[in-house]
Amino acid sequence: MSPPRTLSTSEERRSDVLVAATHAFAGRGYWGTNTTEVARAAGISQAYLYRLFANKEELFVAVIGEVRRRLEQEISRALVGVEPGSELRALMSASDSGAPSDQDAAMVLLHAAAASNVEPIGAAVRQCYRDQTRYLSERGLSGADIRSYFAWSQYANTLGAAGIAPGRADAELSRLLPS
């Protein structure tokens, strides 16, 4: 006798799909990922995927929302126990040793920026950055610190995408700069 089958709710399936889609879009981007491979990775049919998300754009927009949530968690972890005025240093040193701890989230943001000419995606990217700005501001970062954080995180994400740790890149770049 086989064990009783446990059915998942649509919210649980939606969550599974977002995890699988985040990983797929991180690896191949919006343009290079198809919904068939996302459905397969999530263990559902493509027809059921389209019951959960009307189309690929809607799925990618939902993934951007998932990435925003994951980034907020990463920021919260980095700021635990940090003294006021040291938030920017703590955030930058959290990814100083290499790629961000959530490489899929970082890659999705790079791909999302590249696909932001598709308006629902562009709107989601802008909302993601507005939400991050608000979130960082609520945690005590100034406007200048938030801009520095965004510049640093873009730098770290780009280097991470190329397989270069930011610390190693800094040493290589300093050798190239005129003295």
Side-chain angles (χ1 to χ4, degrees):
M1 206 148 180
S2 62
R5 188 172 154 194
T6 305
L7 297 177
S8 299
T9 66
S10 63
E11 265 317 297
E12 290 169 331
R13 278 298 187 196
R14 186 177 169 83
S15 179
D16 293 343
V17 169
L18 287 176
V19 169
T22 300
H23 186 69
F25 285 126
R28 300 194 49 197
Y30 176 73
W31 305 111
T33 303
N34 64 54
T35 57
T36 303
E37 63 191 283
V38 171
R40 188 177 309 120
I44 62 172
S45 69
Q46 189 171 20
Y48 191 63
L49 176 75
Y50 282 117
R51 285 181 56 201
L52 296 172
F53 301 94
N55 54 45
K56 183 173 148 179
E57 282 176 7
E58 185 179 299
L59 174 59
F60 194 64
V61 166
V63 165
I64 293 168
E66 171 68 9
V67 162
R68 181 203 47 79
R69 185 191 64 74
R70 287 163 61 166
L71 290 172
E72 285 181 2
Q73 289 177 334
E74 192 170 321
I75 289 166
S76 290
R77 279 192 300 273
L79 294 179
V80 169
V82 171
E83 295 290 322
S86 301
E87 297 90 354
L88 178 61
R89 189 174 320 112
L91 289 171
M92 291 172 70
S93 63
S95 64
D96 203 20
S97 60
S101 62
D102 192 340
Q103 187 63 35
D104 280 353
M107 291 302 298
V108 165
L109 280 183
L110 288 174
H111 288 299
S116 62
N117 63 317
V118 176
E119 193 37 49
I121 295 169
V125 169
R126 289 187 297 278
Q127 187 63 50
C128 181
Y129 283 109
R130 277 194 296 273
D131 290 347
Q132 282 186 62
T133 299
R134 177 194 42 75
Y135 192 75
L136 291 164
S137 176
E138 290 170 356
R139 271 133 196 88
L141 277 79
S142 68
D145 284 348
I146 292 168
R147 285 188 298 278
S148 293
Y149 169 73
F150 282 146
W152 171 253
S153 62
Q154 281 292 335
Y155 172 71
N157 291 352
T158 302
L159 291 174
I164 303 169
R168 189 175 66 212
D170 291 343
E172 291 175 24
L173 289 173
S174 64
R175 282 184 303 201
L176 298 173
L177 295 173
S179 34

